[in-house]
Amino acid sequence: MIPYRRKPTIRKPGYDYSQDGLYFVTSCVKHQICHFGNVENNKMVLNTFGLIAHQRWDWLLNRYPYLASHAFIVMPNHIHGVLEINRSLVYSREGKLGCNEKMDRIPTSELLEQPVKIKPLDQLLGAYKTTSSKLIHLAELQEFQWQRSYHDHIIRAEKSYHRIVEYIRTNPERWEEDRFYR
């Protein structure tokens, strides 16, 4: 019997994926089945399941106050997003302290002493995929599954950032040439 071997990780070895930064992520539906809607006239038209995938991205941003989204799109069988982890956002959003208290009620010195647990990118995407899958199953698509992993790219240069954001924004216009096209 041949022992099961996991594919080697595609994550950057030794990199702390919970540190502040910009991350380009792509996650695909298992077998690249088009469950989220269709591209019509170069625009993505989301169905019920696509709307859930989109709403869960918003949920992720609201759930974790240190996150910001710079670009996001749900395509027929995958999602693309630029996610920013930024610790300073925790203290700049009124009412986003986890205990639902307004920042003006708490002295700044106390805020700075409260540790904030930052989830790494894999746990954030895991939360997104888990919650979206559960809601999609409840919406009567029991066979829905995300592909096991996801693709990420650490964005370090402004030129790369602009190229990726434009790629996401214009993705529906190139759908028929897309490698995920089915």
Side-chain angles (χ1 to χ4, degrees):
M1 181 167 132
I2 299 172
Y4 174 74
R5 299 181 88 181
R6 278 183 82 151
K7 289 167 81 175
T9 182
I10 57 173
R11 309 291 165 248
K12 184 175 181 178
Y15 187 83
D16 178 5
Y17 280 89
S18 68
Q19 72 181 335
D20 287 3
L22 291 164
Y23 303 92
F24 171 45
V25 294
T26 298
S27 188
C28 296
V29 173
K30 191 169 185 179
H31 304 301
Q32 297 178 357
I33 299 169
C34 296
H35 283 306
F36 295 144
N38 298 301
V39 174
E40 297 174 10
N41 299 319
N42 295 329
K43 301 273 188 230
M44 184 60 202
V45 179
L46 299 175
N47 61 21
T48 300
F49 313 117
L51 289 170
I52 291 170
H54 195 279
Q55 291 164 347
R56 287 287 90 186
W57 189 261
D58 292 338
W59 168 86
L60 192 69
L61 301 174
N62 289 322
R63 175 73 177 89
Y64 301 103
Y66 49 83
L67 293 181
S69 180
H70 290 247
F72 179 71
I73 193 160
V74 177
M75 293 296 291
N77 58 9
H78 65 282
I79 59 140
H80 291 300
V82 173
L83 201 57
E84 177 182 13
I85 296 176
N86 183 343
R87 283 163 175 74
S88 69
L89 294 174
V90 173
Y91 304 113
S92 65
R93 294 181 183 171
E94 186 174 277
K96 293 283 188 172
L97 300 176
C99 57
N100 291 327
E101 293 187 87
K102 300 285 185 188
M103 286 184 359
D104 58 359
R105 294 184 197 164
I106 302 172
T108 304
S109 60
E110 287 182 37
L111 280 177
L112 297 176
E113 292 171 10
Q114 294 178 359
V116 175
K117 175 72 170 119
I118 306 295
K119 289 186 179 286
L121 190 62
D122 66 325
Q123 289 180 19
L124 294 167
L125 267 285
Y128 170 78
K129 290 165 70 169
T130 298
T131 61
S132 60
S133 292
K134 285 181 181 179
L135 290 176
I136 290 170
H137 294 156
L138 287 172
E140 309 280 327
L141 186 59
Q142 295 299 316
E143 68 272 15
F144 177 80
Q145 290 182 316
W146 287 102
Q147 190 170 295
R148 187 177 143 270
S149 191
Y150 62 92
H151 169 79
D152 74 80
H153 172 75
I154 303 162
I155 302 173
R156 295 193 179 109
E158 188 172 345
K159 185 177 180 181
S160 176
Y161 169 82
H162 290 295
R163 181 181 48 79
I164 290 167
V165 168
E166 182 67 8
Y167 171 80
I168 292 170
R169 189 185 69 72
T170 60
N171 203 235
E173 298 168 20
R174 295 181 319 284
W175 174 234
E176 291 184 11
E177 291 84 44
D178 196 296
R179 69 184 224 196
F180 301 120
Y181 177 74
R182 296 284 178 263

